[in-house]
């Protein structure tokens, strides 16, 4: 991929600008609409921020495709060439109900391979990023990630669906082997919890491509495992059940699934 440094500079400035736009509207109640139901919401800010990214990307890189949650990008049915993944607000339910605990996410892939991943934590106003082969950064500083962690010595992050749906009994059995479960409700922030070593892993039953793509670049760069529950590679063209975990914790989780 050409011009990585320029891309990184641009993406960082767009992420900052997007965060400022959300901040400026912090005191106003968003206009909320249901998508597939009461738990699946979209707001005027989700739309405005995605449109903002689409405009910026198309102006600089008109030949590249954009796979965005709110549909302002392209219809993407394959991952050939350069594809941008955009999740304008990750944790929209939190944004509406809590006004905190949400993130902005963007990933750049080339022929299906992760190249650049960005997660902006709106709580702390910190930008985490990874560029394939160049490491992980918090704002402009290199960010050190633990090398490995065991399941039994740490905490585990989970999507709420895994805790509430009868189909995931064996995942709750895995959770019992840890020191405790943590749930935030933003895949991006949960992936950052893994990256910081605050949890040994994150398991989520239903993640869309834009929920996974930015964080997967970080996980790959840090040597943290990221696969579907059955061990297969994630598929960035549809929903996935995903495990993000340090190598030892990942093996212990997979062993536990196969015992059941
Ligand atoms: C959602 C959040 C949530 C996860 C859902 C995602 P959205 O993203 O990341 O934590 O459990 O599966 O869809 O819809 O708020 O961008
Ligand atoms: Ca999301
Ligand atoms: Ca979203």
């Amino acid at each position: 991929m050409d011009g990585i440094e320029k891309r990184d500079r641009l993406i960082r400035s767009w992420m900052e600008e997007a965060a400022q736009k959300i901040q400026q509207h912090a005191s106003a109640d968003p206009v909320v609409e249901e998508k597939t139901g009461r738990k699946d919401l979209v707001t005027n800010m989700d739309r405005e921020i995605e449109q903002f990214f689409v405009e910026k990307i198309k102006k600089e890189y008109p030949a590249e495709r954009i796979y965005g949650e709110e549909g302002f990008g392209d219809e993407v049915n394959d991952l050939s060439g350069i594809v941008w993944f955009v999740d304008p607000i990750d944790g929209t339910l939190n944004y509406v109900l809590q006004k905190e605990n949400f993130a902005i996410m963007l990933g750049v892939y080339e022929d299906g391979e992760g190249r650049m991943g960005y997660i902006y934590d709106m709580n702390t106003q910190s930008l985490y990023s990874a560029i394939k082969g160049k490491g992980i950064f918090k704002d402009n500083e290199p960010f050190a990630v633990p090398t490995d962690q065991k399941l039994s010595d740490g905490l585990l992050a989970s999507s709420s669906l895994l805790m509430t749906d009868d189909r995931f009994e064996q995942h709750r059995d895995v959770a019992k082997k840890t020191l405790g479960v943590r749930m935030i409700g933003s895949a991006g922030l949960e992936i950052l919890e893994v990256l910081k070593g605050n949890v040994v892993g994150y398991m989520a039953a239903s993640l869309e491509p834009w929920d996974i793509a930015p964080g997967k670049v970080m996980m790959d760069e840090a040597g943290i495992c990221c696969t579907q529950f059955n061990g297969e590679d994630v598929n960035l063209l549809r929903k996935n059940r995903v495990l993000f975990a340090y190598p030892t914790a990942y093996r212990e989780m997979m062993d536990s699934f196969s015992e059941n």
Side-chain angles (χ1 to χ4, degrees), residues 149-152 247-257:
Q149 300 222 61
K150 274 170 66 182
L151 190 64
S152 53
T248 299
Y250 177 83
R251 270 195 309 278
E252 291 173 294
M253 289 164 92
M254 293 305 271
D255 288 348
S256 172
F257 294 154

Side-chain angles (χ1 to χ4, degrees), residues 35 41 46 50 69-70 86-92 103 210-211:
K35 292 201 277 189
L41 308 177
D46 295 75
E50 184 165 311
E69 175 169 22
E70 309 307 343
V86 176
D87 189 342
I89 295 183
D90 177 58
T92 297
W210 41 83
D211 293 318

